[in-house]
Amino acid sequence: MNSRKTLPLATEDIIAINGASDITYWSDRFSVSPFTLFHLLKTVGNSASKIGEFLHRQEQEQFEEVNQQKKDSTIL
């Protein structure tokens, strides 16, 4: 009998902070500061995919805003 347990795939998406190395890993993975990481965890939850989607939407909104500002500006 195999005593090795396999975790469901859903647990691979969970962000668990158990020490400084976890903070560093997830901050680097999302290219955010530790402060921002904790804010994201509090706001979005501890799903890595949901945080990734949230950050992607934020980037898209900023990109669209900058492009809209360029269209609205005129050169005199």
Side-chain angles (χ1 to χ4, degrees):
M1 184 168 146
N2 188 355
S3 63
R4 185 174 169 184
K5 293 181 181 179
T6 58
L7 297 174
L9 292 176
T11 60
E12 294 176 5
D13 186 50
I14 301 296
I15 297 174
I17 304 295
N18 296 313
S21 62
D22 294 327
I23 296 168
T24 301
Y25 171 79
W26 289 106
S27 295
D28 290 348
R29 179 164 173 198
F30 291 119
S31 300
V32 298
S33 70
F35 177 81
T36 301
L37 175 64
F38 281 108
H39 181 69
L40 287 165
L41 289 168
K42 186 176 180 181
T43 305
V44 180
N46 65 342
S47 167
S49 60
K50 287 185 180 180
I51 289 177
E53 290 169 9
F54 178 84
L55 291 172
H56 179 72
R57 278 194 312 269
Q58 293 293 101
E59 282 182 359
Q60 285 294 116
E61 289 173 8
Q62 289 175 350
F63 177 77
E64 290 170 4
E65 185 177 311
V66 167
N67 282 340
Q68 186 61 40
Q69 288 174 353
K70 287 180 182 178
K71 289 179 182 177
D72 292 344
S73 65
T74 58
I75 299 175
L76 298 175

